[in-house]
Amino acid sequence: MKIQSKLAKNLLTRYFVSLTVMVLPMIVVPLIMKYFARFRIWYDGDPTYELLKVIETILYPSIIIYGLGAWIILTTYFIKKALGYLDETIQTTNQLVTEPERPIHLSANLMDVEHEMNEIRERNLLNQRAAKEAEQRKNDLIVYLAHDLRTPLTSVIGYLTLLREEPDLSTELRARYTSIALEKAERLEQLIGEFFEITRFNLTTMTLDKEKVDISVMLEQLSYEFLPVMQEKQLTWELALQKELYCALDPEKMERAFDNLIRNAINYSEEKSVLHLSLTQIDAHIRIQLTNTGKTIPKEKLTRIFEPFYCVDTARQSATGGTGLGLPITKEMIDLHGGTIYAESENNKIVFTILLDVIQKTRNEVKIIPCFFI
C-alpha cells in the first residue's frame, strides 16, 4: 500500500524506529554477552556463572515478554497520537463550516494538512462569493425583466383599448396605434424568451449530436441572415472565409453559439462600423475570429464576460435586451465541442477568437485531428 501522506509516513517511521530502539538492545546485548562468555573457563560455585545460568534460562521468555510489552505500549501511544491528530482535524473541519473566514491553525506536525485545508477554505470562499454574485446578478436581472415586462404590456393594453373604444379613428391613426401595439407585443415576446433562456441555462444538461459540417458555409449563411439587423446601425461585413473547412459538430448548437456571438458584436458595435469575420486553418485546428469596433473592454472586465448574467455595460443592458447569458452559453457550446474561446480588446476593437478541431480527409477515411490550443 502506497502511503502518500507525509504525516502518515512520519508517524510510521517514528513508530518503527522507537520499536527497534526499545526491542533491539534486549536481543543484541544478551547475545553479545553469551558470545564473549564462551572464551572464559567457568567453575562451579562461581557467582557470576550461576547468575549467567539463571539469565540464560529466562532469556528468551524475557525477550518475548519485553518485546510484547514494548509493542503494546508504543502501539497504544502512537494510536492515541494519531487519534489526537484526527480529532484536531475534525474540529478544524467543523471550523470550515462554522467560521469559514477564520484561518486554520494546526499543530506543527500537521503543517501540511493545515496548508491544504486553508487552500480548500480559500477556494470555498471564492466559490461562495462567485455564486452569491451570480445569484445577485440573476435576481437583479429578473427584477429588470419583470419591470420591462409590465411596460410593454401596459402599452399593448392601452393601445388596444383605445382602438376598441374609439371606432371612429382615422385609418392612418389606427394603423399607427396597431403598429405600436405590435412593436410592444414583440418586445414582450422577446422578454418572455429571456426568462425561458435563464431557466434553460440553469436546468438543462446539453448533449451533442455531431455531424460533419462545412463551417465556412455555416458562417457565410449566418452573416447574410444578420444583414437586416445590421442595417439599423448601418453596419457592414468584411468576410475572409477559407472554403471547405470541415468540423465534427452539432449544427444546431454551434449555430446558436455563433448567433449569440454575432448578436453581441452587433449590439456593442459603433454605428457605421465594419464587422470582420475570418475563418482559417492553422496547423491542426480551425480559427474563427470576429472583430467589431466598440468601446475598449478593461482587462478586469474582459476576464468576466463569459460569466453567467454578467454585463460589461449595465446601462445598455435593457436597451440591447441582453440577459448576460449570450456569451456564457456560447462558451459552454464551444467547450462541449472540445474547443476554446477567448476575447481580446484594445484601441476600441473587440476580438473574439474560437479554436476548433479540424477534420482532414485521407483516401479511405475522414480523420479527426486533436486540437492543441496555443
Side-chain angles (χ1 to χ4, degrees), residues 83-323:
L83 290 175
Y85 290 149
L86 179 61
D87 185 58
E88 186 177 358
T89 305
I90 291 173
Q91 291 179 2
T92 306
T93 304
N94 293 332
Q95 180 190 323
L96 285 175
V97 178
T98 58
E99 299 177 274
E101 300 288 343
R102 186 161 65 92
I104 291 171
H105 298 289
L106 297 174
S107 56
N109 289 327
L110 295 174
M111 187 173 296
D112 292 333
V113 178
E114 175 185 315
H115 179 68
E116 291 179 7
M117 294 188 76
N118 275 315
E119 285 186 347
I120 294 172
R121 180 184 64 85
E122 291 170 3
R123 283 199 301 269
N124 287 340
L125 287 174
L126 289 175
N127 292 336
Q128 289 174 8
R129 292 191 189 106
K132 286 180 180 178
E133 290 176 2
E135 185 67 22
Q136 185 61 45
R137 287 197 300 270
K138 183 177 69 174
N139 292 339
D140 292 343
L141 179 62
I142 291 174
V143 171
Y144 297 148
L145 286 174
H147 177 271
D148 287 348
L149 278 173
R150 187 170 58 180
T151 302
L153 184 60
T154 303
S155 298
V156 169
I157 294 173
Y159 281 106
L160 291 178
T161 302
L162 187 61
L163 289 170
R164 184 186 64 182
E165 295 178 352
E166 299 290 340
D168 297 331
L169 287 173
S170 65
T171 304
E172 181 181 349
L173 199 56
R174 185 176 292 274
R176 180 184 174 190
Y177 288 168
T178 304
S179 176
I180 294 174
L182 178 60
E183 180 184 340
K184 297 299 182 181
E186 289 173 346
R187 173 59 177 162
L188 185 61
E189 181 186 27
Q190 181 185 7
L191 291 171
I192 292 173
E194 302 289 0
F195 273 115
F196 282 112
E197 191 77 6
I198 293 171
T199 304
R200 278 200 303 271
F201 189 83
N202 285 329
L203 302 180
T204 303
T205 300
M206 288 181 286
T207 57
L208 298 179
D209 185 14
K210 288 186 177 182
E211 59 185 76
K212 179 184 172 185
V213 175
D214 187 340
I215 201 164
S216 63
V217 174
M218 175 184 285
L219 290 174
E220 189 171 8
Q221 181 178 347
L222 278 171
S223 66
Y224 283 115
E225 289 177 0
F226 275 98
L227 286 176
V229 180
M230 296 171 65
Q231 287 177 0
E232 297 176 6
K233 298 177 72 172
Q234 300 181 33
L235 303 174
T236 56
W237 277 117
E238 183 177 290
L239 303 179
L241 306 177
Q242 184 176 334
K243 302 298 182 181
E244 296 186 352
L245 287 181
Y246 295 91
C247 281
L249 50 83
D250 186 319
E252 181 182 349
K253 292 183 174 60
M254 189 57 73
E255 184 176 338
R256 185 181 176 195
F258 291 145
D259 185 282
N260 287 340
L261 193 62
I262 295 172
R263 195 175 299 276
N264 178 82
I266 292 174
N267 287 339
Y268 293 97
S269 288
E270 295 179 357
E271 292 187 0
K272 301 180 181 180
S273 61
V274 178
L275 272 67
H276 302 266
L277 180 61
S278 66
L279 171 67
T280 54
Q281 179 178 348
I282 300 178
D283 297 328
H285 62 274
I286 288 175
R287 185 181 70 184
I288 303 160
Q289 284 191 320
L290 177 62
T291 306
N292 68 286
T293 302
K295 185 178 178 181
T296 301
I297 303 175
K299 289 185 178 180
E300 62 273 12
K301 292 185 176 182
L302 196 64
T303 58
R304 302 187 60 190
I305 59 176
F306 295 108
E307 295 180 9
F309 309 109
Y310 182 78
C311 292
V312 176
D313 190 353
T314 55
R316 298 178 58 190
Q317 180 177 345
S318 179
T320 59
T323 59

